[in-house]
Amino acid sequence: EAQLVESGGALVQPGGSLRLSCAASGFTFSSYSMNWVRQAPGKGLEWISYISSGTMYYADSVRGRFTISRDNAKNSVYLQMNSLRDEDTAVYYCAREGSGSYFPVWGQGTTVTVSS
Amino acid sequence: DIVMTQSPDSLAVSLGERATINCKSSQSVLYNSNNKNYLAWYQHKPGQPPKLLIYWASIRGSGVPDRFSGSGSGTDFTLTISSLQAEDVAVYYCQQYYSTLYTFGQGTKVEIK
């Protein structure tokens, strides 16, 4: 069974940095594109980043501040978050794509709180 | 970016009755070369990750009950719950994956009347 487990969420001050990790198991990780999706308190789902074997995309809200990467040897995807703002407070999910770019596999999420 | 707009924002339906959620995209998500609509639906309950219900606009995800169905093409799509059950209380989102900058609708909250 495909599984994703996020980690790294924490309380961080505005302007700070954080690195989220997502460990995958139960499928051939290198064969799939991966994404990060977040949900701020009381808000809806927001896609923020995508990575395939060599291509990355970002939502306007995080471009230039967040960097997605992956390590196929470790079956993991990462999200380096810099210059964090209050509005980055959210539950962050990693999600695996299916045969198309929909998301049949999700992690349980990790919580990032940006506050002084 | 493709903007996804859902309606209504919330709805209350009696148990066993039909629930209908609409999703409109700011541009077509139908890819003419394969005649596929790049549109998915998700169910999201508090404290849980989102669950894929429908992809390619009308194909049910693994293990999804057949009371959930998706329809539509181009820019207008519908998620229908044919007979609402108590466990269907959730927020529902549409998502386009036609553009590489994926976008979700704002969500529709479904409650029991």
Side-chain angles (χ1 to χ4, degrees):
Chain A
E1 179 190 2
Q3 285 193 328
L4 299 171
V5 179
E6 302 93 337
S7 61
L11 170 63
V12 61
Q13 291 188 338
S17 297
L18 206 57
R19 188 197 197 206
L20 305 183
S21 300
C22 171
S25 61
F27 62 97
T28 304
F29 179 74
S30 59
S31 298
Y32 290 90
S33 298
M34 299 294 295
N35 293 263
W36 287 95
V37 176
R38 69 183 179 183
Q39 183 180 36
K43 303 292 186 180
L45 299 175
E46 179 189 17
W47 169 84
I48 56 172
S49 190
Y50 156 101
I51 187 167
S52 62
S53 57
T55 302
M56 293 83 79
Y57 297 115
Y58 301 93
D60 291 346
S61 58
V62 305
R63 188 177 299 118
R65 300 187 299 124
F66 290 11
T67 302
I68 192 171
S69 61
R70 65 188 297 161
D71 185 337
N72 290 338
K74 294 184 177 180
N75 289 343
S76 293
V77 61
Y78 307 98
L79 187 68
Q80 177 66 42
M81 304 187 296
N82 298 330
S83 303
L84 282 162
R85 305 167 179 168
D86 291 349
E87 55 265 35
D88 295 318
T89 294
V91 176
Y92 285 73
Y93 298 98
C94 66
R96 194 206 81 183
E97 296 196 358
S99 59
S101 300
Y102 50 86
F103 308 140
V105 183
W106 295 71
Q108 288 294 319
T110 188
T111 300
V112 173
T113 302
V114 183
S115 175
S116 54
Chain B
D1 296 4
I2 299 177
V3 177
M4 308 300 289
T5 304
Q6 293 180 224
S7 62
D9 289 334
S10 65
L11 75 161
V13 176
S14 299
L15 289 173
E17 296 300 306
R18 179 185 301 262
T20 301
I21 301 169
N22 300 301
C23 174
K24 188 175 185 67
S25 58
S26 61
Q27 65 185 74
S28 176
V29 298
L30 173 63
Y31 196 44
N32 290 328
S33 65
N34 60 11
N35 200 37
K36 287 185 173 182
N37 287 284
Y38 285 55
L39 190 285
W41 289 96
Y42 300 86
Q43 177 190 65
H44 195 196
K45 297 179 180 180
Q48 298 183 20
K51 177 185 177 181
L52 176 68
L53 294 177
I54 302 286
Y55 58 98
W56 300 128
S58 62
I59 300 177
R60 270 189 298 276
S62 176
V64 175
D66 61 7
R67 64 180 180 272
F68 292 93
S69 63
S71 62
S73 185
T75 61
D76 293 282
F77 300 90
T78 300
L79 174 70
T80 302
I81 309 172
S82 61
S83 176
L84 191 74
Q85 306 299 303
E87 60 265 32
D88 301 334
V89 169
V91 179
Y92 293 83
Y93 295 91
C94 59
Q95 175 229 343
Q96 67 78 22
Y97 46 100
Y98 181 92
S99 161
T100 49
L101 300 184
Y102 310 141
T103 46
F104 289 91
Q106 81 276 16
T108 295
K109 186 174 185 178
V110 174
E111 299 173 308
I112 304 296
K113 185 187 292 183

